[in-house]
Amino acid sequence: MALKRVLSGMQPSGKLHLGNVVGAVNNWLKLQEEYDSFFFIADWHALTTHYEHTENLVQNKREMMIDWLTVGLDPEKATLFVQSDRKEHAELHPILSMITPLSWLERVPTYKEKMAQIQGRDLSTYGFLGYPVLQTADILLYKSDIVPVGIDQLPHLELAREIVRTFHHVYKKEIFTEPQSKMTEIPKLTGNDGRKMSKSYGNALFISDPEEEVRKKIMSYVTDTARIKKTDPGSPENCNLFPLHKIFTNQEKNNEIVESCKNASIGCVDCKKIAVDSVNKYLEPIKEKRREVEALKDDIVDMYKQGTDKARTIAQGTMELVNKTIRI
Ligand code: TRP
Ligand code: SF4
């Protein structure tokens, strides 16, 4: 039996940070070993919220291409490409748009939330409303069986399945696979300010940050605010730094830290220093790999072009079938 196909995309926000890595990409590393995997940089999706800010898009895509390779995504194992290099995504999108009721899109939670939360950007566009339809096109184009996503994206997958059913109903032919979501375990990484680690909050630890930068960023973490003096007992659950320990410090030391924090036998400064070491140690092989990857120069783009070529047969095959089915 053929391997099941996995597909996921990521918007080109630029350099990867630790949150991206432990949240999504590390998961993809496992998947590329077991499935026929497709991972792509979703640059058209980036336009839905940033159409007036394209000045950094080329650089952001390049940074993401490099970072994906440095953490271990492997073009020999997975098909890596850039969304806008495969025009079939844009061919399938309007076709799916025709059969998608407006009301379905208006009730998607990410749509309502972003409209309410994001200030200073124009989100009252047709493109932004249609974000999940474009995402559905990405998924259906490759007949993806499994789509690994974070919890916020589950409604998009539900919508994708509804669009599949509608298509099959309208055109009386079952040509698509109903994609299943695969929820990614996302350990919550917080930034120094206690908010979710995110490039847009300016609190991210990038995987390419030099050791000194990592040190500075970690030393600036606001820890348990109830712990005013070193002699006050602390609680790791109320500490923004502790998630870093949970992920990057070994179990034994971790237990020690929890104990010593609670009985005030360790100070936050010393505790942070341990986190600096843990994170820098984790990043060491990734930076080693970066040197190899950066030496490839123009070949980096070529690797993604090869992915685009590998994706072609399937994407074109799907579009032929779609166009025949709807008599276009
Ligand atoms: N919407 C996804 C996100 O913000 C990115 C994405 C675009 C995607 N197309 C996709 C994810 C297709 C999975 C499948 O994370
Ligand atoms: Fe956080 Fe460590 Fe300070 Fe405890 S000792 S509050 S875990 S930084």
Side-chain angles (χ1 to χ4, degrees):
M1 211 181 80
L3 279 182
K4 285 205 170 186
R5 185 166 298 140
V6 159
L7 168 135
S8 200
M10 191 180 273
Q11 289 193 37
S13 52
K15 295 185 282 185
L16 288 185
H17 58 68
L18 287 177
N20 303 135
V21 174
V22 301
V25 186
N26 274 354
N27 209 44
W28 296 2
L29 294 183
K30 282 182 234 141
L31 296 171
Q32 73 177 351
E33 303 294 334
E34 295 167 28
Y35 295 94
D36 180 18
S37 304
F38 284 64
F39 301 118
F40 65 94
I41 298 178
D43 54 352
W44 274 322
H45 275 106
L47 292 185
T48 62
T49 47
H50 288 76
Y51 65 83
E52 76 283 49
H53 290 298
T54 55
E55 58 281 356
N56 297 326
L57 200 51
V58 169
Q59 194 195 336
N60 284 349
K61 281 194 265 190
R62 175 149 184 104
E63 283 173 344
M64 188 159 274
M65 283 180 175
I66 293 175
D67 280 2
W68 278 13
L69 300 174
T70 67
V71 293
L73 285 176
D74 183 348
E76 299 286 321
K77 294 177 181 162
T79 303
L80 309 177
F81 63 103
V82 176
Q83 184 187 35
S84 66
D85 285 338
R86 280 261 53 92
K87 308 303 179 197
E88 292 82 2
H89 294 247
E91 187 181 359
L92 186 52
H93 182 199
I95 294 169
L96 300 179
S97 297
M98 304 306 162
I99 61 168
T100 305
L102 262 187
S103 58
W104 290 4
L105 296 173
E106 283 162 346
R107 67 163 196 244
V108 170
T110 48
Y111 176 70
K112 290 191 281 193
E113 281 157 24
K114 287 201 176 159
M115 282 294 240
Q117 283 168 9
I118 300 182
Q119 309 289 323
R121 260 189 242 139
D122 176 21
L123 297 185
S124 56
T125 61
Y126 167 64
F128 182 62
L129 181 67
Y131 183 114
V133 183
L134 179 57
Q135 185 167 353
T136 301
D138 301 336
I139 296 167
L140 299 190
L141 198 52
Y142 302 101
K143 302 204 163 69
S144 317
D145 300 294
I146 301 164
V147 182
V149 284
I151 190 163
D152 62 311
Q153 297 283 309
L154 294 183
H156 292 185
L157 265 290
E158 190 50 49
L159 184 86
R161 287 191 287 273
E162 285 182 289
I163 293 177
V164 169
R165 286 177 220 132
T166 305
F167 186 98
H168 291 165
H169 177 75
V170 170
Y171 298 107
K172 313 267 178 305
K173 199 165 169 214
E174 308 224 338
I175 62 170
F176 291 123
T177 311
E178 274 191 39
Q180 299 306 312
S181 50
K182 184 174 164 64
M183 253 271 279
T184 319
E185 268 301 324
I186 303 193
K188 272 260 173 317
L189 267 191
T190 27
N192 60 357
D193 54 358
R195 292 191 291 177
K196 181 180 163 194
M197 187 177 287
S198 156
K199 187 177 179 184
S200 54
Y201 292 151
N203 65 2
L205 279 156
F206 296 103
I207 61 167
S208 50
D209 280 345
E211 290 191 0
E212 185 49 27
E213 187 72 18
V214 170
R215 194 186 66 79
K216 266 199 229 144
K217 287 184 178 173
I218 292 183
M219 296 314 282
S220 74
Y221 265 69
V222 174
T223 57
D224 178 0
T225 48
R227 197 176 180 205
I228 297 159
K229 292 188 274 77
K230 201 172 156 181
T231 48
D232 296 336
S235 86
E237 307 85 75
N238 297 329
C239 172
N240 301 323
L241 177 91
F242 189 67
L244 287 177
H245 278 306
K246 250 206 267 189
I247 296 167
F248 301 109
T249 302
N250 70 47
Q251 191 60 50
E252 199 185 331
K253 238 191 215 162
N254 227 322
N255 297 341
E256 249 176 68
I257 289 168
V258 173
E259 269 312 295
S260 338
C261 173
K262 286 182 176 166
N263 66 24
S265 61
I266 188 173
C268 292
V269 173
D270 288 332
C271 186
K272 285 175 178 176
K273 284 183 186 156
I274 300 173
V276 172
D277 289 344
S278 305
V279 170
N280 276 332
K281 195 162 158 225
Y282 174 81
L283 291 178
E284 218 172 76
I286 295 176
K287 287 186 187 149
E288 181 96 18
K289 178 86 185 188
R290 174 175 302 279
R291 284 190 275 277
E292 270 174 50
V293 171
E294 279 175 346
L296 295 172
K297 301 221 167 77
D298 292 346
D299 290 350
I300 297 169
V301 172
D302 275 358
M303 285 175 166
Y304 285 79
K305 285 269 178 277
Q306 279 167 27
T308 311
D309 290 341
K310 274 205 276 180
R312 174 189 292 124
T313 321
I314 301 166
Q316 288 183 344
T318 303
M319 282 322 300
E320 259 172 49
L321 188 56
V322 168
N323 288 331
K324 198 164 143 228
T325 305
I326 67 175
R327 303 180 193 90
I328 281 280

